[in-house]
Amino acid sequence: MKGKNSLILGIETSCDETSAAVYAVDKGLLSNMVASQIDIHKKTGGVVPEVASRAHVEQILPVIDEALELAKTSLNKIDYLAVTHAPGLIGSLLVGVNTAKTLAMVLDKPLLPINHLEGHIYANFIREFPISNFQFPNKSKISTPNNLNNPKNPNIPKFNFPAVILLVSGGHTSLILMKGHSKYKTLGETLDDAAGEAFDKVARVLGLPYPGGPNISFVADNYRRKIPNSKSQIPNKSQILNPKIGDGNFFPRSMLGSGDFNFSFSGLKTAVLYAWQKDTSNNLTIKQYNNLRTQFAYEFEEAVVDILATKTIKAAKKYKAKTVSICGGVAANKRLREELETRIKNLPLTAYCLPLTKYCGDNAAMIGCCAAYRLKNKKSQAISKGLNFEVMSNKEI
Ligand code: KG4
Ligand code: ZN
């Protein structure tokens, strides 16, 4: 491995974000540019693969240029390239991988293929540079990347192994046991829809825009905020057709008693669909409709969070996890982050580490960070594959 201050150019194009980042192996993240395609995919209510890959083609070079500029560096100073090669949309992955391979060839630099799911996990380890302006909380059970393993702050728990990681994104929902860097065992995964996919599909049912996760969460929060303080602000239940909705327990928690660490969200999605169709089959005023929608969003979010948190805590107990962590787009969910924090307080030997919200969705910083750890831990072995690797739509971590 090259000298200490090696620079990695990370590239991520697996779905609908075009992203490039510069990561210094020892110092940390210097820049992270993300060009989102949300506005494009909003029109169709979801990602159209062909449209996504075309947008990546348009964005990839400007995004790389901006990442280099922001990091105050240039291509000829880059020591390694790292790119997401799986899993993801083939057309989208190909844009990033072909760009990275071309740059690696022209610059004669090594290229590291990175698994997107592993990248999400490494969002937990991103260390921003410079970190001088960051305020460390005095005492906290929570680690976020900038205070992670910081020797100056012994009150902050370290990301110790074994760790139980809940990976929740638009395409995946898995519980992973991480025994060390690059050492993973999948404990369980979804048997049908991913959690993020369920958020997106339920949002469509409720007439909320893409991406569903943040929009459902926003609407659910509007309802939640009214619960503890002022009951009078809660929509009058007699005005809606299903007064049972709104207590947080209406929808089923599938597979909670399954005895394993797998998930299933398609039954929940269908339950929301049928209940929504039934409750909106009569004429509702706009106010009634909006009230009902906030309550459905709330009930759905409560169900998903309960399922995810319950199984994560079970796994943490079973495997005596020293750390519990979450990652992937759905890990940005405020309610999920808070619920896990509450439940982990009951596990005295378990620390709670979570990525900054801005690194939960797809980004190249996590790809650069993952490559940095691989270089640190596996050294030359990590780069032995050269350019001879494929893109894959499906690949286990
Ligand atoms: O990790 P990601 O950016 O892309 C994939 O690898 O799939 O995850 C995207 C998913 C989408 O389904 C989106 O609705 C969901 O993450 N998501 C959220 C939130 N923000 C994004 N789900 C729930 N709450 C959020 N705040
Ligand atoms: Zn992702």
Side-chain angles (χ1 to χ4, degrees):
M1 180 181 155
K2 239 193 121 240
K4 276 194 151 193
N5 291 322
S6 298
L7 288 186
I8 300 167
L9 175 64
I11 295 173
E12 155 65 43
T13 62
S14 66
C15 187
D16 59 345
E17 322 281 357
T18 318
S19 182
V22 178
Y23 205 96
V25 172
D26 286 311
K27 288 180 184 162
L29 181 66
L30 303 183
S31 67
N32 180 47
M33 294 303 303
V34 183
S36 169
Q37 301 176 6
I38 283 179
D39 286 342
I40 300 172
H41 301 305
K42 238 181 207 167
K43 292 171 201 153
T44 42
V47 179
V48 177
E50 173 66 19
V51 175
S53 43
R54 277 168 191 260
H56 284 306
V57 171
E58 283 168 21
Q59 293 294 335
I60 187 73
L61 294 180
V63 164
I64 290 174
D65 279 346
E66 284 173 47
L68 292 167
E69 197 178 317
L70 202 65
K72 298 191 173 34
T73 189
S74 55
L75 268 182
N76 55 11
K77 293 195 181 125
I78 293 294
D79 301 296
Y80 296 92
L81 291 113
V83 66
T84 305
H85 76 113
L89 302 172
I90 288 291
S92 293
L93 286 165
L94 272 171
V95 177
V97 167
N98 285 341
T99 307
K101 283 187 177 180
T102 308
L103 287 174
M105 239 184 304
V106 171
L107 300 169
D108 195 21
K109 300 290 178 193
L111 168 60
L112 286 78
I114 302 288
N115 182 304
H116 181 74
L117 306 179
E118 195 177 4
H120 272 306
I121 291 177
Y122 276 85
N124 276 286
F125 294 88
I126 294 169
R127 199 177 165 86
E128 289 175 338
F129 181 86
I131 61 169
S132 52
N133 293 332
F134 186 77
Q135 298 291 316
F136 294 116
N138 281 337
K139 207 169 177 140
S140 168
K141 222 174 127 52
I142 303 178
S143 275
T144 51
N146 266 350
N147 59 27
L148 192 68
N149 296 351
N150 190 308
K152 287 186 197 152
N153 193 14
N155 288 326
I156 302 295
K158 291 183 179 178
F159 194 114
N160 283 324
F161 301 112
V164 162
I165 298 173
L166 173 68
L167 192 159
V168 263
S169 69
H172 294 84
T173 297
S174 317
L175 269 169
I176 294 163
L177 181 66
M178 189 176 180
K179 293 181 186 161
H181 286 289
S182 308
K183 291 183 189 149
Y184 312 103
K185 182 182 174 200
T186 300
L187 303 175
E189 57 197 344
T190 182
L191 304 180
D192 39 58
D193 291 348
E197 192 181 355
F199 266 102
D200 294 337
K201 286 177 177 169
V202 165
R204 223 180 293 168
V205 168
L206 302 182
L208 291 166
Y210 175 84
N215 287 303
I216 287 194
S217 194
F218 179 80
V219 171
D221 240 21
N222 279 345
Y223 180 73
R224 195 173 288 114
R225 240 177 278 127
K226 293 171 187 169
I227 299 172
N229 306 323
S230 140
K231 289 219 159 158
S232 61
Q233 288 182 44
I234 298 179
N236 179 352
K237 287 190 178 180
S238 64
Q239 287 184 358
I240 61 171
L241 300 176
N242 194 340
K244 286 185 192 151
I245 293 196
D247 294 336
N249 291 307
F250 185 74
F251 289 122
R253 272 64 165 157
S254 315
M255 292 189 69
L256 273 197
S258 64
D260 57 22
F261 295 110
N262 290 329
F263 301 93
S264 166
F265 292 103
S266 80
L268 171 60
K269 175 191 70 186
T270 310
V272 175
L273 174 68
Y274 288 163
W276 179 252
Q277 282 175 341
K278 184 164 165 272
D279 286 1
T280 54
S281 59
N282 288 0
N283 280 340
L284 298 177
T285 64
I286 290 177
K287 198 170 173 202
Q288 283 175 321
Y289 179 91
N290 285 337
N291 284 341
L292 193 63
R293 184 155 76 172
T294 60
Q295 287 168 269
F296 264 74
Y298 166 77
E299 287 283 1
F300 169 74
E301 190 178 53
E302 285 298 311
V304 175
V305 166
D306 191 16
I307 294 165
L308 294 174
T310 303
K311 292 235 163 170
T312 304
I313 297 297
K314 264 190 195 164
K317 284 184 182 162
K318 176 163 181 186
Y319 291 94
K320 298 188 173 39
K322 292 190 178 145
T323 305
V324 165
S325 163
I326 49 176
C327 61
V330 183
N333 186 277
K334 194 167 141 256
R335 179 73 186 93
L336 176 64
R337 292 166 86 93
E338 288 171 358
E339 182 62 21
L340 274 171
E341 185 186 351
T342 306
R343 298 196 194 191
I344 288 167
K345 279 187 183 141
N346 297 324
L347 307 181
L349 302 178
T350 309
Y352 183 35
C353 295
L354 67 177
L356 295 173
T357 310
K358 62 181 167 179
Y359 301 125
C360 287
D362 293 347
N363 66 85
M366 66 191 196
I367 303 303
C369 179
C370 182
Y373 272 83
R374 206 179 281 179
L375 288 169
K376 278 197 239 186
N377 292 321
K378 287 200 196 158
K379 306 203 166 95
S380 56
Q381 208 189 315
I383 52 171
S384 59
K385 282 190 177 169
L387 300 183
N388 209 3
F389 63 87
E390 306 278 321
V391 298
M392 278 169 271
S393 58
N394 280 312
K395 191 168 188 296
E396 289 294 307
I397 193 163

